[in-house]
Amino acid sequence: MASLARIRTAVPRRMHLARAIQTAADTTQLHQDASHSEPFTVKLHEDSFRGFRTDTPSLDVEVTKENLLKWYRQMTVIRRTEQAADALYKQKLIRGFCHLAIGQEAISVGIDSATTFEDKIISSYRTHPFVILRGGTIKSLMGELLGRECGVSKGKGGSMHVFTEAFQGGHGIVGAQVPLGAGLAFAQKYLGKKTATFAMYGDGASNQGQVFESFNMAKLWNLPCIFVCENNKYGMGTSAERSSSNTEYYTRGDKIPGIQVNGMDIIAVHQASKWAKEWVTSDKGPLVVEFVTYRYAGHSMSDPGTTYRSREEVQKMRSTQDPIRGLQRYISEWGLASEDDLKAIDKEAKAEVDAAVEEAKASPFPNEKELWTDIYSAGTEPAYMRGREREEVFHY
């Protein structure tokens, strides 16, 4: 392995003459005076997008005070929820795998802002935010993490297997959700629905064969599927540069066009998601979207996140490119809310999350009989089911 590492480091890095994507969270500028009651236009940084085989979304974005404050509250609630999960895990109240999305809040909120509950979103296991955004509650999410009856998956799925009627999961096998997403998009096209599927995966899953197989089928059948790569720079403990010969993930679709997006600016994410949905619902076929982002915590709670990157790197990202601070700056500088108003939102979010945690903790653990339910859809169960041993039989 040491010799392989030497070979790898001996390979000269390719020179990229194209301008790099902008990943600052606060570079959007007012294009006209901000309004408290009417939509107004802002202009994204010129390097917010890069395109492959396609033009990129417009840099001029129409926003409203209502939406900006809504996004701020949603991202704040999500971060508070993830921080609460961190604390509960360290208290050993949450067990097993647990992957936090702290630092990546703009992506889930931005995608949700550009979709309806008729659209499909399917992802891997860093997906707690989508439960809150798409029909679940903080209590149902925390209950699931704690393995309680009130959990969104009845306490039987845990952190990696969360679902709502408007969110298709929550999948633990790396990359396996991508072909499922292509299948969802196939169903949408078959049924003649003008809706989109966002099939999400990380840079760590991007080299999976099933991802490329899904690309091929989606292009072959012209499916309304948006393949979303959340590039947070590290697949578990391996940097993108060490694992991928091509780290421009938006170019990997071969004949499928792609765009690369600043995933730290909520306005850029919203604009890209809206543009992507319009693309696939206009019968233009699939699209690859790469959101360049960053996770502050380790890959999972068992990963300190500092053995393969420096503490200084993480701190720099927190202090200079945080998506919530970026939106906070927009709201304050554009005169849409005062610092006290934003502090009140944060205080309300913390109180809401704290109350939900206590309610979830008060919920009982599932009855042992629940081990036998949800194996088959209701009404299709066999007469009985055998357990681990021949003598262990459950009759329905």
Side-chain angles (χ1 to χ4, degrees), residues 1 5 17 25 33 37 68 76 91 97 111 120 125 138 168 175 189-190 222 244 282 293 310 316 333 342 351 363 395:
M1 293 302 290
L17 301 179
D33 291 340
S37 57
L68 292 173
T76 301
Q91 295 169 32
F97 293 106
I111 291 176
K120 307 298 182 183
Y125 39 75
I138 303 170
Q168 285 63 51
K189 180 167 185 175
Y190 185 83
N222 211 43
S244 301
S282 300
T293 184
S310 67
K316 181 181 178 182
E333 291 188 356
L342 296 176
S363 178
H395 292 272

Side-chain angles (χ1 to χ4, degrees), residues 81-387:
T81 302
E82 295 286 61
Q83 289 171 338
D86 179 279
L88 290 168
Y89 195 96
K90 289 171 180 174
Q91 295 169 32
K92 297 186 178 181
L93 293 175
I94 295 175
R95 309 301 290 264
F97 293 106
C98 186
H99 305 80
L100 305 180
I102 299 175
Q104 300 181 209
E105 296 89 352
I107 296 176
S108 54
V109 173
I111 291 176
D112 179 71
S113 72
T115 58
T116 71
F117 280 11
E118 293 299 310
D119 296 302
K120 307 298 182 183
I121 300 177
I122 186 168
S123 190
S124 55
Y125 39 75
R126 202 179 304 281
T127 54
H128 301 161
F130 283 115
V131 174
I132 300 170
L133 294 168
R134 299 187 68 82
T137 63
I138 303 170
K139 175 184 174 181
S140 68
L141 171 61
M142 300 309 296
E144 191 58 40
L145 301 186
L146 290 164
R148 304 304 173 97
E149 202 174 73
C150 69
V152 71
S153 297
K154 303 180 183 179
K156 299 187 288 183
S159 170
M160 296 200 294
H161 305 97
V162 290
F163 302 82
T164 72
E165 291 292 330
F167 173 55
Q168 285 63 51
H171 298 265
I173 306 301
V174 175
Q177 74 282 358
V178 180
L180 296 180
L184 290 169
F186 177 83
Q188 289 171 318
K189 180 167 185 175
Y190 185 83
L191 296 171
K193 294 184 176 181
K194 288 294 182 182
T195 52
T197 290
F198 288 74
M200 304 178 67
Y201 58 97
D203 53 286
S206 64
N207 297 318
Q208 290 261 331
Q210 57 194 331
V211 173
F212 293 96
E213 291 176 22
S214 301
F215 286 174
N216 179 59
M217 293 169 70
K219 185 60 179 176
L220 190 64
W221 295 335
N222 211 43
L223 302 181
C225 190
I226 303 159
F227 295 100
V228 178
C229 178
E230 288 185 274
N231 176 11
N232 61 19
K233 311 293 180 67
Y234 297 93
M236 296 187 72
T238 305
S239 68
E241 289 78 12
R242 287 188 62 204
S243 66
S244 301
S245 61
N246 177 8
T247 58
E248 295 181 328
Y249 299 102
Y250 70 107
T251 68
R252 286 180 161 212
D254 189 14
K255 292 187 176 182
I256 301 178
I259 59 171
Q260 188 181 51
V261 183
N262 176 4
M264 303 304 275
D265 188 326
I266 178 65
I267 299 177
V269 176
H270 166 77
Q271 179 74 340
S273 301
K274 179 182 176 183
W275 185 87
K277 179 181 174 180
E278 290 173 355
W279 174 284
V280 300
T281 55
S282 300
D283 296 322
K284 293 182 179 180
L287 189 72
V288 178
V289 177
E290 175 193 350
F291 289 115
V292 182
T293 184
Y294 197 84
R295 59 169 164 81
Y296 298 160
H299 171 73
S300 67
M301 286 300 298
S302 61
D303 169 23
T306 54
T307 57
Y308 49 87
R309 59 183 183 177
S310 67
R311 295 181 186 276
E312 290 74 23
E313 176 185 312
V314 179
Q315 186 54 41
K316 181 181 178 182
M317 293 297 295
R318 278 183 177 272
S319 61
T320 62
Q321 299 184 33
D322 184 78
I324 298 178
R325 288 187 183 181
L327 180 55
Q328 184 181 48
R329 181 177 171 185
Y330 293 153
I331 293 170
S332 297
E333 291 188 356
W334 298 344
L336 300 175
S338 67
E339 186 177 340
D340 288 341
D341 292 333
L342 296 176
K343 284 183 178 179
I345 292 174
D346 185 64
K347 185 176 180 180
E348 289 170 6
K350 184 179 184 304
E352 183 181 0
V353 171
D354 288 347
V357 167
E358 292 308 312
E359 289 180 30
K361 286 164 68 175
S363 178
F365 290 103
N367 189 287
E368 284 187 7
K369 288 186 177 180
E370 283 295 321
L371 290 170
W372 302 95
T373 63
D374 301 312
I375 300 171
Y376 292 84
S377 60
T380 67
E381 303 92 345
Y384 63 90
M385 180 69 65
R386 203 181 92 176

